[in-house]
């Protein structure tokens, strides 16, 4: 349904087409430039950064209260790249002046002069509607009533005011970073949404399997985090659905954008799983204009690459705290240095043999006559490590062998100007020690301490700061964009009252449904419930999350589902698609509907239910819990009573409810 005037929509479409033509003309004039960064790049085929055509057109438009000395007229556009031609004045979304579009009280000198902003909305790549918002300056006429597009006065124009803002922001962020505690940030609420109608419509729309860019409707608080200075390390803490992953992906694109005055040559995004990497691929493909400038890897992929061995690993995890301590990396560095002095490790030795020799030195706690540690507890731990052949097949020792691989190489095989880590609460001290070797710049960490999956990961952001050896400013997100209030309130029962602070934009919502099943029918109930949730809504994304995904797959096969050839975690039947995941694989993902099986089987951590809390909050619209064992006490409060087992033949009520 359109809300904007048809003639204005047609006008903006025409401007968008002229903009794209102008960009193509400019790009054709550019000489090919190959920028190789040597060891800075991780994938040889991406060593030359190749500009690609812009995938985005105009994002929006800004009107000022009065003309300025810097361009004719009183309005300009924000787009993927700057353009000053054909009667169009367009500034890049990554330039400082873009804060006039994204923020009411931004850092640019022109922000107080803004009377109106127009956000352009697209369907199928074409402008289909727009939303106008008032700016801080008063206006006396209808915004953008007449086209007053800017024509440049002369080829040599004075720079726009506020071009030094990034330097000011950098100094301010560095000062904030001196304390590892929450900093005061303006919080997004329903009353302060920019392009609110468009945002709420996007929130209520069915999810896609890949995250798509929300650049045009990026909110002021999100824009602040996306465009923060590259050299100021920061933690962005937020509950599920507060936009952390959106910020991570858009920040990577901003940091490498050609119009960012503090541009990074290379950025790495580290996510929890390969599913997460695929999930954010839509934003990276859409916004990153130079191939190879942003890499996205799961933490396990990083560790496997540093380890550099052919052996496959099992699904085990670290068992004791010493498995994850950063001291192991220090021991590996010492062992490698001593072995290098003896000629046992170096470029003349195969990497796998170097890793093995460093690891065996750890097991024996010595190189020659030199001991690696005289601490009795550490010496006992090292002595009890398994033989190299066995350790190389166990996920439990992956981070240790990665540390051995880094130490044996002497220098990391690749480094980055900035590293972004999403779901950062799950990394152990040893994994941080490995990542530190590939980061020659600063950090952006995003996560939620309440979602820690293990007691072996760092228990606080202060601990992470200590491991990294630098102060971290901590910013807190409180506005929930993704999940309904009903889902967040239910999952929030697993948190302390002090942590139940998220404000969901989707007020109300369908209350989570709890199904009690007999143990012998637990998994057969899943296919019936999935059919109820998806029948009539094939465009919905759905997931089944439990500790025994193979049993879910077996039950769905019996019900007539088959595995999607393109993704073995997706089951398909008559157009219905259901992703089957364990709680580890579900991290960082989102779905319209989620079915969580047997919450009582989810392993708790000290003082919390990180994995269960994460799994419950993967649902955006509807959440169903199926169980045969008692639920965790927090979920058995009044109002969460179990309902009788689902009857597949009686689905009409649920179908109407999901319509």
């Amino acid at each position: 349904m359109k809300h904007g005037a048809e003639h204005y929509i047609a006008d903006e479409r025409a401007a968008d087409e002229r903009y794209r033509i102008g960009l193509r003309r400019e790009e054709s004039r550019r000489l090919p430039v190959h920028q190789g960064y040597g060891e800075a790049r991780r994938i040889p085929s991406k060593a030359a950064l190749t500009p690609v055509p812009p995938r985005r057109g105009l994002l929006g438009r800004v009107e000022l209260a009065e003309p300025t000395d810097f361009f004719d007229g009183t309005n300009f556009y924000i787009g993927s790249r700057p353009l000053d031609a054909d009667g169009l004045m367009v500034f890049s979304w990554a330039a400082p002046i873009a804060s006039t579009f994204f923020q009411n009280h931004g850092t640019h000198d022109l922000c107080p002069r803004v009377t109106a902003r127009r956000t352009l909305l697209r369907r199928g790549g074409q402008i289909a509607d727009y939303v106008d918002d008032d700016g801080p300056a008063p206006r006396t006429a209808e915004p953008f009533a007449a086209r007053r597009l800017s024509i440049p006065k002369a080829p040599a124009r004075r720079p726009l005011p506020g071009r030094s803002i990034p330097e000011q922001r950098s100094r301010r962020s560095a000062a904030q970073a001196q304390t590892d505690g929450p900093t005061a940030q303006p919080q997004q609420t329903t009353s302060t949404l920019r392009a609110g109608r468009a945002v709420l419509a996007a929130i209520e729309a069915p999810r896609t399997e890949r995250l798509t860019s929300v650049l045009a409707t990026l909110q002021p608080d999100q824009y602040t985090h996306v465009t923060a200075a590259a050299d100021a390390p920061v933690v962005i803490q937020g509950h599920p659905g507060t936009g952390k992953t959106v910020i991570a992906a858009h920040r990577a694109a901003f940091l490498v954008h050609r119009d960012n005055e503090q541009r990074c040559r290379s950025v790495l995004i580290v996510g929890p799983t390969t599913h997460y990497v695929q999930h954010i691929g839509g934003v990276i493909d859409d916004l990153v204009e130079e191939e190879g400038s942003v890499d996205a890897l799961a933490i396990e992929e990083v560790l496997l690459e540093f380890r550099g061995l052919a052996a496959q690993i099992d699904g085990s995890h670290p068992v004791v705290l010493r498995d994850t301590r950063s001291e192991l990396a220090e021991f590996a560095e010492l062992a490698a240095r001593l072995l290098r002095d003896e000629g046992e490790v170096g470029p003349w030795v195969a990497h796998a043999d170097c890793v093995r020799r460093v690891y065996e030195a750890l097991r024996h706690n010595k190189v020659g006559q030199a001991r690696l540690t005289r601490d009795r507890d550490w010496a006992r731990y090292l002595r009890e490590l398994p033989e190299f052949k066995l350790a190389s097949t166990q996920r439990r020792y992956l981070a240790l062998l990665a540390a051995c691989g880094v130490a044996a190489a002497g220098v990391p095989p690749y480094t980055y100007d900035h590293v972004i880590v999403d779901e950062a609460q799950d990394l152990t001290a040893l994994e941080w020690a490995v990542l530190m070797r590939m980061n020659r710049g600063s950090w952006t960490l995003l996560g939620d301490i309440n979602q820690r999956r293990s007691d072996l990961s760092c228990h606080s952001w202060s601990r992470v700061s200590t491991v990294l050896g630098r102060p971290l400013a901590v910013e807190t997100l409180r506005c929930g964009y993704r999940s309904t209030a009903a889902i967040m309130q239910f999952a929030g029962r697993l948190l302390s009252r002090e942590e139940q602070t998220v404000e969901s934009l989707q007020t109300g919502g369908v209350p989570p449904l709890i199904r009690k099943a007999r143990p012998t029918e637990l998994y057969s109930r899943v296919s019936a419930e999935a059919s109820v949730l998806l029948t009539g809504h094939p465009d919905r994304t759905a997931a089944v999350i439990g500790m025994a995904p193979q049993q879910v797959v077996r039950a769905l096969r019996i019900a007539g589902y088959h595995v999607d050839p393109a993704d073995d975690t997706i089951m398909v039947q008559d157009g219905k698609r259901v992703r089957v995941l364990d709680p580890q694989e579900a991290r960082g993902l989102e779905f319209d509907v989620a079915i969580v099986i047997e919450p009582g089987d989810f392993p708790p951590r000290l003082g919390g239910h990180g994995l269960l809390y994460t799994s419950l909050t993967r649902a955006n619209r509807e959440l169903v819990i199926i169980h045969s064992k008692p639920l965790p006490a927090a979920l058995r409060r009044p109002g969460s009573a179990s309902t009788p087992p689902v009857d597949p033949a009686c689905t009409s009520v649920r179908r109407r409810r999901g319509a």
Side-chain angles (χ1 to χ4, degrees), residues 344-389:
E344 295 294 320
V345 166
W348 54 89
V349 181
H351 179 75
D353 288 335
C354 290
V355 175
R356 176 179 56 80
R357 292 174 184 180
V358 172
Y359 179 81
E360 290 298 338
L362 293 181
R363 288 187 64 227
H364 294 90
N365 189 25
K366 64 178 182 179
V367 174
Q369 298 302 312
R371 291 198 174 276
L372 304 180
T373 177
R374 296 189 178 279
D375 182 278
R376 292 184 178 180
D377 293 331
W378 271 116
R380 184 183 308 109
Y381 172 85
L382 296 176
R383 187 168 59 250
E384 294 174 353
L385 287 172
E387 293 184 358
F388 176 75
K389 185 175 181 180

Coordinates of all heavy atoms in Angstrom, one line a residue, residues 344-389:
E344 N 64.5 -26.8 14.5 CA 63.5 -27.8 14.4 C 62.2 -27.3 13.8 O 61.3 -28.0 13.4 CB 63.2 -28.4 15.8 CG 64.3 -29.1 16.5 CD 64.6 -30.4 15.7 OE1 63.7 -31.1 15.3 OE2 65.8 -30.7 15.6
V345 N 62.1 -26.0 13.8 CA 60.9 -25.3 13.3 C 61.3 -24.2 12.4 O 62.2 -23.4 12.7 CB 60.0 -24.8 14.4 CG1 58.9 -23.8 13.9 CG2 59.2 -25.9 15.1
G346 N 60.7 -24.0 11.2 CA 61.0 -23.0 10.3 C 60.4 -23.2 8.9 O 59.8 -24.2 8.7
P347 N 60.7 -22.3 8.0 CA 60.1 -22.4 6.6 C 60.6 -23.7 5.9 O 59.9 -24.1 5.0 CB 60.6 -21.2 5.9 CG 61.0 -20.2 7.0 CD 61.4 -21.0 8.2
W348 N 61.7 -24.2 6.3 CA 62.2 -25.5 5.7 C 61.5 -26.7 6.2 O 61.8 -27.8 5.6 CB 63.7 -25.6 6.0 CG 64.0 -25.5 7.4 CD1 64.1 -26.5 8.3 CD2 64.3 -24.3 8.2 NE1 64.4 -26.1 9.6 CE2 64.5 -24.7 9.5 CE3 64.4 -23.0 7.9 CZ2 64.8 -23.8 10.5 CZ3 64.7 -22.1 8.9 CH2 64.9 -22.5 10.2
V349 N 60.6 -26.6 7.2 CA 59.9 -27.8 7.7 C 58.4 -27.6 7.3 O 57.9 -26.5 7.4 CB 60.1 -27.8 9.2 CG1 59.3 -29.1 9.8 CG2 61.5 -27.9 9.6
A350 N 57.8 -28.7 6.9 CA 56.4 -28.7 6.6 C 55.6 -28.2 7.8 O 55.9 -28.5 8.9 CB 55.9 -30.1 6.2
H351 N 54.5 -27.4 7.5 CA 53.8 -26.7 8.5 C 53.2 -27.8 9.5 O 53.2 -27.6 10.7 CB 52.6 -25.9 7.9 CG 51.8 -25.2 9.0 ND1 52.2 -24.1 9.7 CD2 50.5 -25.5 9.4 CE1 51.3 -23.7 10.5 NE2 50.2 -24.6 10.4
A352 N 52.6 -28.8 9.0 CA 52.1 -29.9 9.9 C 53.1 -30.4 10.8 O 52.8 -30.7 12.0 CB 51.5 -31.0 9.0
D353 N 54.3 -30.6 10.4 CA 55.4 -31.1 11.3 C 55.8 -30.0 12.3 O 56.1 -30.4 13.5 CB 56.6 -31.5 10.4 CG 56.4 -32.7 9.6 OD1 55.5 -33.6 10.0 OD2 57.0 -32.9 8.6
C354 N 55.7 -28.8 11.9 CA 56.0 -27.7 12.9 C 55.0 -27.7 14.0 O 55.3 -27.6 15.2 CB 56.0 -26.3 12.1 SG 57.5 -26.1 11.0
V355 N 53.7 -27.8 13.6 CA 52.6 -27.8 14.6 C 52.8 -29.0 15.5 O 52.7 -28.8 16.7 CB 51.2 -27.9 13.9 CG1 50.1 -28.0 14.9 CG2 51.0 -26.6 13.0
R356 N 53.1 -30.1 15.0 CA 53.3 -31.3 15.8 C 54.4 -31.1 16.8 O 54.3 -31.5 18.0 CB 53.5 -32.5 14.9 CG 53.8 -33.8 15.7 CD 54.0 -35.0 14.7 NE 55.1 -34.8 13.8 CZ 56.4 -34.9 14.1 NH1 56.8 -35.2 15.3 NH2 57.3 -34.6 13.1
R357 N 55.6 -30.6 16.3 CA 56.7 -30.4 17.2 C 56.5 -29.4 18.3 O 56.9 -29.6 19.5 CB 57.9 -30.0 16.4 CG 58.4 -31.1 15.4 CD 59.5 -30.6 14.5 NE 59.9 -31.7 13.6 CZ 60.8 -31.6 12.6 NH1 61.5 -30.5 12.5 NH2 61.1 -32.6 11.8
V358 N 55.7 -28.3 18.0 CA 55.4 -27.4 19.1 C 54.5 -28.0 20.1 O 54.7 -27.9 21.3 CB 54.8 -26.1 18.4 CG1 54.2 -25.2 19.6 CG2 55.8 -25.4 17.6
Y359 N 53.5 -28.8 19.6 CA 52.5 -29.4 20.5 C 53.2 -30.5 21.4 O 53.0 -30.5 22.6 CB 51.4 -30.1 19.7 CG 50.4 -30.8 20.5 CD1 49.4 -30.2 21.1 CD2 50.5 -32.2 20.7 CE1 48.4 -30.8 21.9 CE2 49.6 -32.9 21.5 CZ 48.5 -32.2 22.1 OH 47.6 -32.9 22.9
E360 N 54.1 -31.3 20.8 CA 54.8 -32.3 21.6 C 55.7 -31.6 22.6 O 55.9 -32.2 23.7 CB 55.6 -33.2 20.7 CG 54.7 -34.1 19.8 CD 53.9 -35.1 20.7 OE1 54.2 -35.3 21.8 OE2 52.8 -35.6 20.2
A361 N 56.3 -30.5 22.3 CA 57.1 -29.7 23.3 C 56.2 -29.3 24.4 O 56.6 -29.4 25.6 CB 57.7 -28.5 22.6
L362 N 55.0 -28.9 24.2 CA 54.0 -28.6 25.2 C 53.8 -29.8 26.1 O 53.8 -29.7 27.3 CB 52.7 -28.0 24.7 CG 52.8 -26.7 24.0 CD1 51.4 -26.3 23.5 CD2 53.3 -25.6 24.9
R363 N 53.5 -31.0 25.5 CA 53.2 -32.2 26.2 C 54.4 -32.6 27.2 O 54.1 -33.0 28.3 CB 52.9 -33.3 25.3 CG 51.6 -33.3 24.5 CD 51.4 -34.6 23.7 NE 51.2 -35.7 24.7 CZ 51.9 -36.9 24.5 NH1 52.7 -37.0 23.5 NH2 51.7 -37.8 25.3
H364 N 55.6 -32.3 26.7 CA 56.7 -32.7 27.5 C 57.2 -31.5 28.4 O 58.2 -31.7 29.2 CB 57.9 -33.2 26.6 CG 57.6 -34.5 25.9 ND1 57.0 -34.5 24.7 CD2 57.7 -35.8 26.3 CE1 56.8 -35.8 24.3 NE2 57.3 -36.6 25.3
N365 N 56.6 -30.4 28.2 CA 56.9 -29.2 29.0 C 58.4 -28.8 28.9 O 59.0 -28.3 29.9 CB 56.5 -29.4 30.5 CG 56.6 -28.1 31.3 OD1 56.6 -27.0 30.7 ND2 56.8 -28.2 32.6
K366 N 59.0 -29.0 27.7 CA 60.4 -28.6 27.6 C 60.8 -28.7 26.1 O 60.2 -29.4 25.3 CB 61.3 -29.5 28.4 CG 61.3 -31.0 28.0 CD 62.3 -31.7 28.9 CE 62.4 -33.2 28.4 NZ 63.3 -34.0 29.3
V367 N 61.8 -27.9 25.8 CA 62.5 -28.0 24.6 C 64.0 -28.1 24.9 O 64.6 -27.2 25.5 CB 62.3 -26.7 23.7 CG1 63.2 -26.8 22.5 CG2 60.9 -26.6 23.3
G368 N 64.6 -29.3 24.6 CA 65.9 -29.5 25.1 C 65.9 -29.7 26.6 O 65.2 -30.4 27.2
Q369 N 66.7 -28.8 27.3 CA 66.7 -28.8 28.8 C 65.9 -27.6 29.3 O 65.8 -27.5 30.5 CB 68.2 -28.7 29.2 CG 69.0 -29.8 28.8 CD 68.5 -31.2 29.3 OE1 68.1 -31.3 30.5 NE2 68.4 -32.2 28.4
A370 N 65.3 -26.8 28.5 CA 64.6 -25.6 28.9 C 63.1 -26.0 29.2 O 62.4 -26.5 28.3 CB 64.7 -24.5 27.9
R371 N 62.6 -25.7 30.4 CA 61.2 -25.9 30.7 C 60.4 -24.7 30.2 O 60.8 -23.6 30.3 CB 61.1 -26.1 32.2 CG 61.7 -27.4 32.7 CD 61.2 -27.8 34.0 NE 61.6 -29.2 34.4 CZ 61.1 -30.3 34.1 NH1 60.0 -30.2 33.3 NH2 61.5 -31.4 34.4
L372 N 59.2 -25.1 29.8 CA 58.2 -24.0 29.4 C 57.5 -23.4 30.6 O 57.2 -22.2 30.5 CB 57.2 -24.6 28.4 CG 57.7 -25.3 27.2 CD1 56.6 -25.9 26.4 CD2 58.6 -24.4 26.4
T373 N 57.3 -24.1 31.6 CA 56.7 -23.6 32.8 C 57.1 -24.4 34.0 O 57.3 -25.6 33.9 CB 55.1 -23.6 32.8 OG1 54.6 -23.1 34.0 CG2 54.6 -25.0 32.5
R374 N 57.2 -23.8 35.2 CA 57.6 -24.5 36.4 C 56.4 -24.5 37.4 O 56.5 -25.0 38.5 CB 58.8 -23.8 37.1 CG 60.0 -23.9 36.2 CD 61.3 -23.5 37.0 NE 62.5 -23.6 36.2 CZ 63.1 -24.8 36.0 NH1 62.7 -25.9 36.7 NH2 64.2 -24.8 35.3
D375 N 55.2 -24.0 36.9 CA 54.0 -24.1 37.7 C 53.5 -25.5 37.7 O 53.3 -26.1 36.7 CB 53.0 -23.2 37.1 CG 51.7 -23.2 37.9 OD1 50.9 -24.1 37.7 OD2 51.5 -22.3 38.7
R376 N 53.4 -26.1 38.9 CA 53.0 -27.5 39.0 C 51.7 -27.8 38.4 O 51.6 -28.9 37.7 CB 53.0 -27.9 40.5 CG 54.4 -27.9 41.1 CD 54.3 -28.4 42.6 NE 55.6 -28.4 43.2 CZ 55.9 -28.8 44.4 NH1 54.9 -29.2 45.2 NH2 57.1 -28.8 44.9
D377 N 50.7 -27.0 38.6 CA 49.4 -27.3 38.0 C 49.4 -27.3 36.5 O 48.8 -28.1 35.8 CB 48.3 -26.3 38.5 CG 48.1 -26.4 40.0 OD1 48.2 -27.6 40.5 OD2 47.7 -25.4 40.7
W378 N 50.1 -26.3 35.9 CA 50.2 -26.2 34.5 C 51.1 -27.4 34.0 O 50.8 -28.0 32.9 CB 50.9 -24.9 34.0 CG 49.9 -23.8 33.8 CD1 49.7 -22.6 34.4 CD2 48.8 -23.8 32.8 NE1 48.7 -21.9 33.9 CE2 48.1 -22.6 32.9 CE3 48.4 -24.8 31.8 CZ2 47.0 -22.3 32.1 CZ3 47.4 -24.4 31.0 CH2 46.7 -23.2 31.1
A379 N 52.1 -27.8 34.7 CA 53.0 -28.9 34.2 C 52.1 -30.2 34.2 O 52.3 -31.0 33.3 CB 54.2 -29.0 35.2
R380 N 51.3 -30.4 35.2 CA 50.4 -31.6 35.3 C 49.4 -31.5 34.1 O 49.2 -32.6 33.4 CB 49.7 -31.6 36.6 CG 48.8 -32.9 36.7 CD 48.0 -32.9 38.0 NE 48.9 -32.6 39.2 CZ 48.8 -31.5 39.9 NH1 48.0 -30.5 39.5 NH2 49.6 -31.3 40.9
Y381 N 48.9 -30.4 33.8 CA 47.9 -30.3 32.7 C 48.6 -30.6 31.4 O 48.1 -31.4 30.6 CB 47.3 -28.9 32.6 CG 46.5 -28.7 31.4 CD1 45.1 -29.1 31.3 CD2 47.0 -28.1 30.2 CE1 44.4 -28.9 30.2 CE2 46.3 -27.9 29.1 CZ 44.9 -28.3 29.1 OH 44.2 -28.1 27.9
L382 N 49.8 -30.1 31.1 CA 50.5 -30.3 29.9 C 50.9 -31.8 29.8 O 50.8 -32.4 28.7 CB 51.7 -29.4 29.8 CG 51.5 -27.9 29.7 CD1 52.8 -27.1 29.8 CD2 50.7 -27.6 28.5
R383 N 51.3 -32.4 30.9 CA 51.7 -33.8 30.8 C 50.5 -34.7 30.5 O 50.7 -35.8 29.9 CB 52.3 -34.1 32.2 CG 52.9 -35.5 32.3 CD 53.7 -35.7 33.6 NE 52.8 -35.5 34.8 CZ 53.0 -34.5 35.6 NH1 53.9 -33.5 35.4 NH2 52.2 -34.4 36.7
E384 N 49.3 -34.3 30.8 CA 48.1 -35.1 30.6 C 47.5 -34.9 29.2 O 46.5 -35.5 28.9 CB 47.1 -34.9 31.7 CG 47.6 -35.4 33.0 CD 46.6 -35.0 34.2 OE1 45.6 -34.3 33.9 OE2 46.8 -35.4 35.3
L385 N 48.1 -34.0 28.4 CA 47.5 -33.8 27.0 C 47.6 -35.1 26.2 O 48.6 -35.8 26.4 CB 48.3 -32.7 26.3 CG 48.0 -31.2 26.8 CD1 49.0 -30.3 26.1 CD2 46.6 -30.9 26.5
P386 N 46.7 -35.4 25.3 CA 46.8 -36.6 24.5 C 47.8 -36.5 23.5 O 48.3 -35.4 23.2 CB 45.4 -36.7 23.9 CG 44.9 -35.3 23.8 CD 45.4 -34.6 25.1
E387 N 48.2 -37.6 22.9 CA 49.2 -37.6 21.8 C 48.6 -36.8 20.6 O 47.4 -36.6 20.4 CB 49.5 -39.0 21.3 CG 50.2 -39.9 22.4 CD 50.5 -41.2 21.8 OE1 50.2 -41.5 20.6 OE2 51.1 -42.0 22.5
F388 N 49.6 -36.2 19.8 CA 49.2 -35.3 18.8 C 48.2 -35.9 17.8 O 47.2 -35.2 17.4 CB 50.5 -34.9 18.0 CG 50.2 -34.1 16.8 CD1 49.9 -32.7 16.9 CD2 50.2 -34.6 15.5 CE1 49.7 -31.9 15.8 CE2 50.0 -33.8 14.4 CZ 49.7 -32.5 14.6
K389 N 48.3 -37.1 17.4 CA 47.4 -37.7 16.5 C 46.0 -37.7 17.0 O 45.0 -37.4 16.2 CB 47.8 -39.2 16.1 CG 47.0 -39.8 15.0 CD 47.5 -41.2 14.7 CE 46.7 -41.9 13.6 NZ 47.2 -43.2 13.2

